[in-house]
Structures are given as structure tokens and as C-alpha cells.
Coordinates of all heavy atoms in Angstrom, one line a residue:
A1 N 141.6 72.4 74.3 CA 141.2 72.0 75.7 C 140.7 73.2 76.5 O 139.8 73.1 77.3 CB 142.4 71.4 76.5
L2 N 141.2 74.4 76.2 CA 140.7 75.6 76.9 C 139.9 76.6 76.0 O 139.6 77.7 76.5 CB 141.9 76.3 77.5 CG 142.8 75.5 78.5 CD1 143.9 76.4 79.1 CD2 142.0 75.0 79.6
D3 N 139.7 76.2 74.8 CA 138.9 77.0 73.8 C 139.4 78.4 73.7 O 138.7 79.4 73.9 CB 137.4 77.0 74.3 CG 136.5 77.5 73.2 OD1 136.9 77.4 72.0 OD2 135.4 78.0 73.5
A4 N 140.7 78.6 73.5 CA 141.4 79.9 73.5 C 142.2 80.0 72.2 O 143.4 80.3 72.3 CB 142.2 80.1 74.7
S5 N 141.5 80.0 71.0 CA 142.2 80.0 69.8 C 143.0 81.3 69.6 O 144.1 81.3 69.1 CB 141.2 79.9 68.6 OG 140.5 78.7 68.7
A6 N 142.4 82.4 70.0 CA 143.1 83.7 69.8 C 144.4 83.9 70.6 O 145.3 84.6 70.1 CB 142.1 84.8 70.2
M7 N 144.5 83.2 71.7 CA 145.7 83.3 72.5 C 146.7 82.1 72.3 O 147.8 82.1 72.9 CB 145.3 83.4 74.0 CG 144.4 84.5 74.3 SD 143.9 84.6 76.0 CE 145.4 85.0 76.8
A8 N 146.3 81.1 71.6 CA 147.1 79.9 71.5 C 148.5 80.1 71.0 O 149.5 79.5 71.5 CB 146.4 78.9 70.6
G9 N 148.7 81.0 70.0 CA 150.0 81.3 69.5 C 151.0 81.9 70.5 O 152.2 81.8 70.3
L10 N 150.4 82.6 71.5 CA 151.3 83.2 72.5 C 152.0 82.2 73.4 O 153.0 82.5 74.0 CB 150.5 84.1 73.4 CG 149.9 85.4 72.7 CD1 149.0 86.1 73.7 CD2 151.0 86.3 72.2
T11 N 151.4 81.0 73.5 CA 152.0 80.0 74.4 C 153.4 79.7 74.2 O 154.3 79.7 75.1 CB 151.2 78.7 74.3 OG1 149.8 79.0 74.3 CG2 151.5 77.8 75.5
I12 N 153.8 79.4 72.9 CA 155.1 79.0 72.6 C 156.1 80.2 72.7 O 157.2 80.1 73.2 CB 155.2 78.4 71.2 CG1 154.2 77.3 71.0 CG2 156.6 78.0 70.8 CD1 154.4 76.2 72.1
T13 N 155.6 81.4 72.4 CA 156.4 82.6 72.6 C 156.8 82.8 74.0 O 158.0 83.0 74.4 CB 155.7 83.8 72.0 OG1 155.4 83.7 70.7 CG2 156.6 85.1 72.2
F14 N 155.8 82.6 74.9 CA 156.1 82.8 76.3 C 157.0 81.6 76.9 O 157.8 81.9 77.7 CB 154.8 82.8 77.1 CG 154.2 84.2 77.2 CD1 153.5 84.8 76.2 CD2 154.4 85.0 78.3 CE1 153.0 86.1 76.2 CE2 153.9 86.3 78.4 CZ 153.2 86.8 77.4
Y15 N 156.8 80.4 76.4 CA 157.6 79.3 76.8 C 159.1 79.5 76.4 O 160.0 79.4 77.2 CB 157.1 78.0 76.1 CG 158.0 76.8 76.4 CD1 158.1 76.2 77.7 CD2 158.8 76.3 75.4 CE1 158.9 75.1 77.9 CE2 159.6 75.2 75.6 CZ 159.7 74.6 76.8 OH 160.5 73.6 77.1
W16 N 159.3 79.9 75.1 CA 160.7 80.2 74.7 C 161.3 81.4 75.4 O 162.5 81.4 75.7 CB 160.7 80.4 73.2 CG 160.5 79.1 72.4 CD1 160.7 77.8 72.8 CD2 160.2 79.0 71.0 NE1 160.4 76.9 71.8 CE2 160.2 77.6 70.7 CE3 160.0 79.9 70.0 CZ2 159.9 77.2 69.4 CZ3 159.7 79.5 68.7 CH2 159.6 78.1 68.4
T17 N 160.5 82.4 75.6 CA 161.0 83.6 76.3 C 161.4 83.2 77.8 O 162.5 83.6 78.2 CB 159.9 84.7 76.4 OG1 159.5 85.0 75.1 CG2 160.4 85.9 77.1
G18 N 160.6 82.4 78.4 CA 160.9 81.9 79.8 C 162.2 81.1 79.7 O 163.1 81.2 80.6
S19 N 162.4 80.2 78.7 CA 163.5 79.4 78.6 C 164.8 80.2 78.5 O 165.8 80.0 79.1 CB 163.4 78.4 77.4 OG 164.5 77.6 77.3
A20 N 164.8 81.2 77.5 CA 165.9 82.1 77.3 C 166.3 82.9 78.6 O 167.4 83.0 79.0 CB 165.7 83.0 76.1
A21 N 165.2 83.4 79.2 CA 165.4 84.2 80.5 C 166.0 83.3 81.6 O 166.9 83.8 82.3 CB 164.1 84.8 80.9
G22 N 165.5 82.1 81.7 CA 166.1 81.2 82.8 C 167.6 80.9 82.6 O 168.3 80.9 83.5
R23 N 168.0 80.8 81.3 CA 169.4 80.5 81.0 C 170.2 81.7 81.3 O 171.4 81.6 81.8 CB 169.5 80.1 79.5 CG 168.9 78.7 79.3 CD 168.8 78.3 77.8 NE 168.3 77.0 77.6 CZ 168.0 76.4 76.5 NH1 168.3 77.1 75.3 NH2 167.6 75.2 76.4
L24 N 169.7 82.9 81.0 CA 170.5 84.1 81.2 C 170.6 84.5 82.7 O 171.5 85.1 83.1 CB 169.9 85.3 80.4 CG 170.0 85.1 78.8 CD1 169.3 86.1 78.1 CD2 171.5 85.0 78.4
I25 N 169.5 84.1 83.4 CA 169.5 84.5 84.9 C 170.4 83.5 85.7 O 171.0 83.9 86.7 CB 168.0 84.4 85.4 CG1 167.2 85.5 84.9 CG2 168.0 84.3 86.9 CD1 165.7 85.4 85.1
Y26 N 170.6 82.3 85.2 CA 171.3 81.2 85.9 C 172.7 81.7 86.4 O 173.0 81.6 87.6 CB 171.4 80.0 85.1 CG 172.3 78.9 85.7 CD1 171.8 78.0 86.7 CD2 173.7 78.9 85.4 CE1 172.7 77.1 87.3 CE2 174.5 77.9 86.0 CZ 174.0 77.1 86.9 OH 174.9 76.1 87.5
P27 N 173.5 82.3 85.5 CA 174.9 82.7 86.0 C 174.9 83.7 87.1 O 175.8 83.7 87.9 CB 175.5 83.3 84.7 CG 174.7 82.7 83.6 CD 173.3 82.6 84.1
V28 N 173.8 84.5 87.1 CA 173.8 85.6 88.1 C 173.3 85.1 89.5 O 173.8 85.5 90.5 CB 172.8 86.7 87.6 CG1 172.7 87.9 88.6 CG2 173.3 87.3 86.3
L29 N 172.3 84.2 89.5 CA 171.6 83.8 90.7 C 171.9 82.4 91.2 O 171.9 82.2 92.4 CB 170.1 84.0 90.6 CG 169.6 85.4 90.3 CD1 168.1 85.4 90.2 CD2 170.0 86.4 91.4
F30 N 172.2 81.5 90.3 CA 172.2 80.1 90.7 C 173.4 79.3 90.4 O 173.5 78.1 90.8 CB 171.0 79.4 90.0 CG 169.7 80.0 90.3 CD1 169.0 80.6 89.2 CD2 169.1 80.0 91.5 CE1 167.7 81.2 89.5 CE2 167.9 80.6 91.8 CZ 167.2 81.2 90.7
A31 N 174.4 79.9 89.8 CA 175.7 79.2 89.5 C 176.4 78.7 90.7 O 177.2 77.7 90.6 CB 176.6 80.1 88.7
K32 N 176.2 79.3 91.9 CA 176.9 78.9 93.1 C 176.4 77.6 93.7 O 177.1 77.0 94.5 CB 176.7 80.0 94.2 CG 175.3 80.3 94.5 CD 175.2 81.6 95.4 CE 173.8 82.0 95.7 NZ 173.7 83.2 96.5
Y33 N 175.2 77.1 93.2 CA 174.7 75.9 93.8 C 175.2 74.6 93.1 O 175.6 74.7 91.9 CB 173.2 75.9 93.7 CG 172.5 77.0 94.5 CD1 171.9 78.1 93.9 CD2 172.6 77.0 95.9 CE1 171.4 79.1 94.6 CE2 172.1 78.1 96.6 CZ 171.4 79.1 96.0 OH 170.9 80.2 96.7
D34 N 175.2 73.5 93.7 CA 175.6 72.2 93.1 C 174.7 72.0 91.9 O 173.5 72.0 92.0 CB 175.5 71.1 94.1 CG 175.9 69.8 93.5 OD1 177.1 69.4 93.5 OD2 174.9 69.0 93.1
T35 N 175.3 71.7 90.8 CA 174.6 71.5 89.5 C 173.5 70.4 89.6 O 172.4 70.7 89.2 CB 175.6 71.2 88.3 OG1 176.6 72.3 88.3 CG2 174.8 71.2 87.0
K36 N 173.9 69.2 90.0 CA 173.0 68.1 90.0 C 171.8 68.4 91.0 O 170.6 68.2 90.6 CB 173.7 66.8 90.4 CG 174.7 66.4 89.4 CD 175.2 65.0 89.7 CE 176.4 64.6 88.9 NZ 177.6 65.3 89.4
K37 N 172.1 68.9 92.2 CA 171.1 69.2 93.1 C 170.1 70.3 92.6 O 168.9 70.2 92.8 CB 171.7 69.6 94.5 CG 172.4 68.4 95.2 CD 173.0 68.9 96.5 CE 173.7 67.8 97.2 NZ 174.4 68.2 98.5
Y38 N 170.7 71.3 92.0 CA 169.9 72.4 91.4 C 169.0 71.8 90.4 O 167.8 72.2 90.3 CB 170.8 73.4 90.9 CG 170.1 74.6 90.2 CD1 169.3 75.5 90.9 CD2 170.1 74.7 88.8 CE1 168.6 76.5 90.3 CE2 169.4 75.7 88.2 CZ 168.7 76.6 88.9 OH 167.9 77.6 88.3
L39 N 169.5 71.0 89.5 CA 168.6 70.4 88.4 C 167.5 69.5 89.0 O 166.4 69.5 88.4 CB 169.5 69.6 87.4 CG 170.2 70.5 86.3 CD1 171.1 69.6 85.5 CD2 169.2 71.2 85.4

């Protein structure tokens, strides 16, 4: 769709990195909020 073959493989790496980072950040910054409302 974006004609970016050279960068395509980076997408999943950045997605998984973001996912792991979000999980590790949650206890520090967001655990105090109501779980359902936060989600």
C-alpha cells in the first residue's frame, strides 16, 4: 500500500517493541486507574 519494501520488516519489530514497553510501563504509571475504564 505504501510501496516501502525496504522498511516493511521493521513494522512488526516496532509493534512488538511497543507492546512489550506498554506492558512494562503500566505498573509504574497506570495501575492506579480502574482497569475497565482504562482499557
Side-chain angles (χ1 to χ4, degrees):
L2 300 183
D3 194 24
S5 302
M7 302 178 69
L10 292 173
T11 314
I12 304 310
T13 301
F14 273 81
Y15 173 71
W16 285 345
T17 301
S19 180
R23 290 169 177 178
L24 294 172
I25 289 169
Y26 173 85
V28 180
L29 298 179
F30 304 112
K32 59 188 175 184
Y33 299 111
D34 178 82
T35 304
K36 295 188 191 75
K37 290 179 181 177
Y38 176 72
L39 277 175

